[in-house]
Amino acid sequence: MKHIYTLITLIMALSLVACSEDKLEVYNTSYTALNIAKGSVFGNAELYPEEYSFNAYFLGSNISNYTLNIPVRLQGTIDYDNDRHYNVALVSNESKGMTDDLYTMAPTQTFRRGLAQDTLKITIHLDRMSTTDDYKARIALVPNDDFKAGVPEYQYIDISFTKNLSIAPNFWNNNSKLRKIAYSPRKCAVFLQISGLTDPDWVDDGSSVILDHWISLCQQWFLTHEEYDEKGNRIYFN
């Protein structure tokens, strides 16, 4: 019965978030909680994904630290005068590869005054990731004096990520000029660094001058940098 009550309360809160501030002030409950906003019940599914996933290679070549801003929605009344605080934790038995040096996440985070929605922040240190492992982090809200537990299915969020190019991304096979080049993870990594490409599904019709330019720069890079594959063969971009 309690779960039904909290779910009804959440739905009411969700509907009122889109209303004016005075309507939000009218909404009152003695049960104040937070829920991680995920899924279409909170709005546009693109803004509130059910879980987060990324390949570090497609975040940009100059990024060493990647911060995710995960929306957290208030269940209860807005406090216009005081910041409130909530606790978060990594769920170890539902996570994979999450060593302490891999991420930074404050265990106590701030829900700012006057807001119905704020963000939970976690930073992944990309330069500390393995290029072969897959990672998963489950982040959970922890009840405290400011916020009780909300709806169970919205108390956690999963983040899956990797820094792995062992399988050719879609963009490599989507482009006829790249398809002619024998694939290797190292070639792909250098191509992404030079091109700055962040879309793993990028498609080119074969007429793009910029692709020719990127290929030329990659060919020159491997001519001036001696690199070898796992079999000891010199890598060329051809």
Side-chain angles (χ1 to χ4, degrees):
M1 187 67 184
K2 182 179 179 181
H3 175 68
I4 295 174
Y5 170 75
T6 55
L7 182 58
I8 292 172
T9 304
L10 173 63
I11 293 171
M12 291 173 65
L14 290 174
S15 64
L16 285 167
V17 165
C19 300
S20 63
E21 287 187 358
D22 57 349
K23 286 187 178 180
L24 277 166
E25 289 172 349
V26 170
Y27 178 64
N28 194 3
T29 177
S30 60
Y31 196 92
T32 303
L34 293 178
N35 294 284
I36 294 177
K38 57 180 182 177
S40 57
V41 67
F42 289 90
N44 187 325
E46 292 185 1
L47 298 177
Y48 304 106
E50 292 283 356
E51 63 179 73
Y52 294 80
S53 63
F54 65 87
N55 187 327
Y57 279 111
F58 292 95
L59 296 176
S61 59
N62 296 320
I63 297 177
S64 58
N65 297 299
Y66 179 50
T67 298
L68 291 98
N69 296 296
I70 300 168
V72 178
R73 187 74 62 85
L74 175 67
Q75 177 183 329
T77 53
I78 292 178
D79 189 330
Y80 289 95
D81 300 316
N82 304 293
D83 290 341
R84 288 176 283 187
H85 300 90
Y86 61 100
N87 296 336
V88 295
L90 180 78
V91 183
S92 298
N93 63 342
E94 293 290 346
S95 301
K96 178 183 177 183
M98 297 300 295
T99 56
D100 290 342
D101 65 333
L102 183 63
Y103 71 101
T104 299
M105 181 178 69
T108 299
Q109 308 219 5
T110 300
F111 199 92
R112 290 168 292 174
R113 72 192 74 178
L115 298 184
Q117 179 175 298
D118 211 331
T119 53
L120 184 168
K121 296 181 183 296
I122 177 173
T123 299
I124 308 297
H125 304 298
L126 307 181
D127 53 354
R128 301 174 189 174
M129 292 175 60
S130 162
T131 56
T132 57
D133 294 341
D134 294 328
Y135 300 89
K136 176 185 174 183
R138 174 167 289 189
I139 308 301
L141 299 174
V142 180
N144 63 8
D145 292 339
D146 285 338
F147 298 102
K148 299 179 182 179
V151 180
E153 55 264 42
Y154 301 119
Q155 296 306 289
Y156 68 90
I157 188 72
D158 289 334
I159 307 165
S160 298
F161 55 102
T162 189
K163 189 178 181 181
N164 192 331
L165 295 171
S166 59
I167 299 175
N170 289 337
F171 82 85
W172 194 276
N173 294 316
N174 285 343
N175 297 279
S176 59
K177 294 177 182 178
L178 285 175
R179 280 201 304 269
K180 296 176 182 178
I181 298 170
Y183 180 80
S184 79
R186 187 60 188 144
K187 290 179 187 179
C188 187
V190 170
F191 179 84
L192 290 173
Q193 181 179 353
I194 286 173
S195 68
L197 194 68
T198 58
D199 181 3
D201 298 311
W202 180 69
V203 177
D204 177 76
D205 63 5
S207 62
S208 173
V209 175
I210 192 63
L211 179 55
D212 290 330
H213 178 60
W214 289 338
I215 290 174
S216 176
L217 290 177
C218 289
Q219 290 171 335
Q220 185 62 36
W221 194 95
F222 280 104
L223 286 174
T224 56
H225 295 77
E226 283 193 32
E227 294 209 17
Y228 297 85
D229 63 21
E230 63 279 0
K231 296 180 180 179
N233 298 315
R234 175 83 183 268
I235 300 175
Y236 295 97
F237 203 81
N238 54 30

